[in-house]
Amino acid sequence: MKTALTLCGSTRKGSYNEILRRYVSDKLRDVEGLEVIDLDLKDFPMPIFSEDLEVDGQTPEAAGRLAEMFGKADIILVISPEYNSGTTPLITNMVAWLSRQKHGQWRHAVFGLGAVSSGKYGGVVGIAHLRDSLSKLGALLVPTLLGVGPASEAFDENGVPVEDGVRKKVEQMVRELTHFSRGGI
């Protein structure tokens, strides 16, 4: 059975990005032969990255554990808000720590990226920066960038995107994640 990991770059209560992550996760669960594991980055505490911590042998155990999970996954979905046209500190720090691990964390899975923002561009500027960083580390990313906005109008009371175009884009991303995965599903 193939495995998909999903995570959110926001740990804020009521995060619109977490709503989108749950929605896409549910769509991935509809794929036969795919196990979906929802990760909460609060379960992987890592201090702000510093090479000094590495030198002192203080690499967080969570970084190795998460990198090992990434290395075994077939699909990794990251839904993360945009901060000042970039990635969130949580995601930036995660990528910094994971980039120092040696578990093949960027070489096996296919990655999908999405964002919800208050603006009309739906966070695509921030996730475009994340796409650049991940691709330089060797990650294979699907073509679709899932940008949703404005956030306050994006979802109904059940967490379903109100716009038909957003629901279709989610379906397209799920198809890409399952068909572009290394080895296919």
Side-chain angles (χ1 to χ4, degrees), residues 47 50-63 97 101:
S50 168
E51 286 187 29
D52 290 340
L53 292 174
E54 280 185 319
V55 170
D56 292 341
Q58 298 177 37
T59 298
E61 172 273 334
W97 276 114
Q101 308 305 304

Side-chain angles (χ1 to χ4, degrees), residues 30 56 62 65-66 75 113 152 160:
D30 292 340
D56 292 341
R65 194 165 36 101
L66 190 56
I75 293 170
L113 304 177
S152 62
V160 175

